[in-house]
Amino acid sequence: TLLFRSQGLVEDAIIGQNYPNPFNPTTLIEFELIQDSDVEVKVFNLAGKEIAVLHKGSLNKGVHQFTFDGSGFPSGVYLYQVITPLTSQTRKMILAK
């Protein structure tokens, strides 16, 4: 859902839950942009260390999908973050080997 305020649009992206979750070894991260935007898609371990950058740059309005391959990482909980100029959203995902 989008949030609207008197100033206008405050969120420019709708972030979905990765699928499948739990995953082994790959998972799909999907989100929809409401407008053309610069986007960063990053993956972190629970210690907060950035372990992967799936995308950094501009994307057109619409639905986008990126695959995270966890084959080089141990089982556990990881976080993925989608950052745009108007919003930053983080979701949890589980790598189960």
Side-chain angles (χ1 to χ4, degrees):
T1 51
L2 292 175
L3 300 175
F4 288 91
R5 296 204 178 124
S6 57
Q7 304 95 326
L9 194 63
V10 274
E11 289 190 358
D12 54 355
I14 301 168
I15 314 305
Q17 183 63 50
N18 65 299
Y19 180 83
N21 190 32
F23 66 97
N24 178 25
T26 62
T27 188
L28 196 65
I29 295 169
E30 183 177 280
F31 58 90
E32 182 178 359
L33 293 176
I34 308 306
Q35 59 193 18
D36 296 354
S37 186
D38 286 332
V39 180
E40 288 184 58
V41 183
K42 299 179 177 183
V43 179
F44 299 87
N45 64 21
L46 275 185
K49 181 182 177 196
E50 180 183 295
I51 60 168
V53 177
L54 303 181
H55 181 82
K56 185 173 184 172
S58 60
L59 290 172
N60 293 329
K61 169 180 149 177
V63 176
H64 300 276
Q65 296 180 334
F66 294 93
T67 300
F68 173 66
D69 184 346
S71 57
F73 300 101
S75 295
V77 177
Y78 292 87
L79 304 172
Y80 63 94
Q81 187 174 47
V82 178
I83 305 161
T84 68
L86 295 181
T87 190
S88 172
Q89 296 182 46
T90 305
R91 298 273 190 278
K92 182 168 58 172
M93 58 184 176
I94 300 167
L95 173 58
K97 293 189 175 181

